[in-house]
Amino acid sequence: MKFQKVSRLRGEITVPGDKSISHRAVMFGALSKGTTKITGFLRGADCLSTIACFRQLGITVEESDDTILVHGKGLHGLREPAAVLDTGNSGTTTRLISGILAGQNFKSVLNGDASIQKRPMRRIMTPLSQMGASIRSMKDNDCAPLEITGSPLHGISYPSPVASAQVKSAVLLAGLYADGETSVKEPAVSRNHTELMLKSFGADIRTEGLTATIRPEPVLCGMDILIPGDISSAAYFIAAGCLVPDAEILIRNVGINPTRDGILRVAKEMGADITLLHEKNTGEPVADLLIKSSPLHGVTIGGDIIPTLIDELPIIAVMAAFAAGTTIIRDAAELKVKESDRIAVMTENLSAMGCDITATDDGIIINGGRPLHGALIDAHLDHRIAMSFAVAALAAEGETEIKDADCVKISYPGFYQDLEKLYDM
Ligand code: S3P
């Protein structure tokens, strides 16, 4: 797909539902008694993988345009799958479902696409094994395919070496089936959608500082869930609004949970003109975001803010490429184990566009402000890389072509159409 520089972006958009929250709504609905009605569900490939897995586990899920009905069967109502559970490209599906499957009384095998088969699963295998789970990497390489034989589980206190909501959630979900309390302490706070949503379904879960603790065997009750727009998807429009010279964009109904809002904090520090309007709480805090073109400057990003913007670092790197001065991203080694090695892939592609960028062990250093030119971009089948470079292209001279651009279907199937609407106006 090809892109050109644009001089004006105007209009309003509503980004699709939050990916992390969509996954959890289906999973927790499946483990509840009664029906869960989900509005604003993200119909991206990752969340559809979660639905497909739970159907294989015996859960009826009805899909219509904007509403999903999950007919839950309670904590012990899942049935043994007849075939391998296909988690597609989705790390969230793979890791969270592993926590649930560890506590069942049947065996399951999980596998996904080529990217999933390279992503580290030792990080969930270690704590789940400590709980008594039987979980095996079938190729003995700490990656999927995983064979999980449901077993009696014990509560543990797990000091997680990594700030990862997927690890935290896998352990807490296994904790639903344990013989006592389970807690996870993280080195920095990661997204807390599991804690917020499980509590509203009726779980006995609490958070104190960096530690989340759950008690086993609650009765979870189906409920109505309204999913806000995904701030990780809004991030591309925040960046586009800043970088294109004559821009004013209103992004409606975006989730601004403080464990996810690092992009807003960093963009404002870089000089972005962002106004939050109509703030409210619908189980998660949401707001409309008004973005206007702004000259940006470089910043240093590291420490505890990293988990709150981990998925936004590729688009932040694009903003940094156009910002005056140096941007240093550090403490972000996790970028290497996402859908692609995002340190290497951002460095390769931004260099191709003429950016002065250096990869480091745990991040990137960008000397921004040079004019960038169009290039052939290899997104390495990573949705967030493709979307980041579609935005970079709007501010670069000449033509940019993105290879395998349709990988955006993982989290934002209508992304290019939504972007085009803003510059066609
Ligand atoms: C997610 C957690 C993050 C994030 C991913 C979604 C989640 O991963 O990068 O896109 O829904 O829990 P980690 O837990 O591996 O940091």
Side-chain angles (χ1 to χ4, degrees):
M1 186 172 256
K2 291 180 177 163
F3 300 85
Q4 301 281 348
K5 189 169 186 175
V6 301
S7 54
R8 187 169 191 268
L9 282 183
R10 290 278 153 149
E12 289 184 19
I13 52 156
T14 305
V15 293
D18 188 277
K19 181 154 81 72
S20 295
I21 301 176
S22 294
H23 284 296
R24 287 159 171 81
V26 170
M27 292 182 181
F28 306 167
L31 301 181
S32 298
K33 296 266 189 215
T35 297
T36 288
K37 180 179 169 200
I38 310 170
T39 306
F41 182 81
L42 167 63
R43 305 189 89 259
D46 268 11
C47 300
L48 297 178
S49 294
T50 291
I51 290 185
C53 289
F54 277 88
R55 283 186 173 141
Q56 280 185 267
L57 291 163
I59 301 297
T60 302
V61 181
E62 292 179 67
E63 292 178 65
S64 64
D65 269 359
D66 192 43
T67 308
I68 303 283
L69 294 179
V70 182
H71 299 288
K73 292 201 168 159
L75 276 186
H76 298 280
L78 301 180
R79 65 146 199 252
E80 180 158 0
V84 173
L85 297 168
D86 183 0
T87 60
N89 189 246
S90 175
T92 306
T93 311
T94 310
R95 296 196 178 109
L96 270 61
I97 213 174
S98 295
I100 295 170
L101 294 174
Q104 306 303 316
N105 57 6
F106 53 76
K107 188 191 266 191
S108 342
V109 175
L110 287 177
N111 203 2
D113 68 8
S115 156
I116 274 294
Q117 291 181 37
K118 284 195 234 137
R119 298 189 61 189
M121 294 298 151
R122 173 52 53 196
R123 54 180 59 199
I124 55 159
M125 293 168 69
T126 296
L128 293 177
S129 303
Q130 283 176 17
M131 294 177 81
S134 164
I135 175 167
R136 186 169 74 85
S137 159
M138 294 170 79
K139 292 188 180 156
D140 240 341
N141 60 357
D142 289 343
C143 297
L146 299 176
E147 182 190 72
I148 301 174
T149 311
S151 330
L153 301 180
H154 318 294
I156 57 168
S157 285
Y158 185 62
S160 178
V162 40
S164 158
Q166 293 179 359
V167 171
K168 173 175 63 178
S169 301
V171 176
L172 292 172
L173 287 167
L176 291 170
Y177 297 93
D179 59 4
E181 229 173 54
T182 296
S183 58
V184 184
K185 181 173 185 189
E186 301 189 274
V189 177
S190 67
R191 64 194 67 194
N192 65 355
H193 307 301
T194 294
E195 296 90 308
L196 293 179
M197 198 189 289
L198 267 182
K199 198 177 175 79
S200 52
F201 272 99
D204 186 347
I205 184 164
R206 62 180 193 277
T207 304
E208 282 150 350
L210 297 169
T211 305
T213 304
I214 194 163
R215 291 220 176 98
E217 297 295 340
V219 176
L220 303 180
C221 298
M223 59 180 288
D224 287 1
I225 296 182
L226 187 58
I227 299 185
D230 196 327
I231 191 167
S232 299
S233 299
Y236 305 102
F237 298 97
I238 294 173
C242 292
L243 298 178
V244 170
D246 179 14
E248 187 169 322
I249 306 173
L250 184 68
I251 318 171
R252 291 207 181 274
N253 192 41
V254 181
I256 53 162
N257 180 316
T259 63
R260 294 284 300 282
D261 72 350
I263 173 73
L264 298 179
R265 287 181 271 153
V266 162
K268 283 183 182 167
E269 198 189 334
M270 293 178 86
D273 184 346
I274 304 178
T275 313
L276 272 62
L277 304 165
H278 310 122
E279 286 185 55
K280 58 183 182 193
N281 196 306
T282 56
E284 289 271 348
V286 297
D288 297 341
L289 308 179
L290 179 68
I291 320 294
K292 296 183 186 166
S293 334
S294 346
L296 301 180
H297 54 80
V299 289
T300 295
I301 309 165
D304 290 356
I305 199 170
I306 293 291
T308 73
L309 47 65
I310 187 72
D311 292 341
E312 290 66 74
L313 285 168
I315 188 65
I316 288 173
V318 167
M319 292 167 78
F322 291 98
T326 300
T327 292
I328 301 172
I329 298 170
R330 60 163 82 108
D331 306 321
E334 277 293 299
L335 287 177
K336 295 182 192 167
V337 291
K338 294 296 178 187
E339 287 82 331
S340 67
D341 175 346
R342 289 181 176 161
I343 293 183
V345 173
M346 286 309 296
T347 305
E348 165 196 324
N349 286 312
L350 275 176
S351 299
M353 294 182 84
C355 176
D356 176 355
I357 175 168
T358 309
T360 66
D361 276 352
D362 66 349
I364 300 174
I365 299 173
I366 295 171
N367 292 311
R370 284 201 205 170
L372 298 197
H373 53 77
L376 177 62
I377 301 300
D378 184 348
H380 293 260
L381 295 173
D382 182 335
H383 55 130
R384 301 211 186 279
I385 301 293
M387 290 188 277
S388 296
F389 282 91
V391 172
L394 303 184
E397 292 303 329
E399 185 177 84
T400 297
E401 182 171 355
I402 301 179
K403 216 178 117 199
D404 296 323
D406 73 338
C407 63
V408 303
K409 65 178 186 288
I410 291 297
S411 65
Y412 197 159
F415 174 71
Y416 301 115
Q417 291 86 328
D418 282 358
L419 189 61
E420 258 175 49
K421 266 187 241 157
L422 299 176
Y423 53 81
D424 272 342
M425 295 191 62

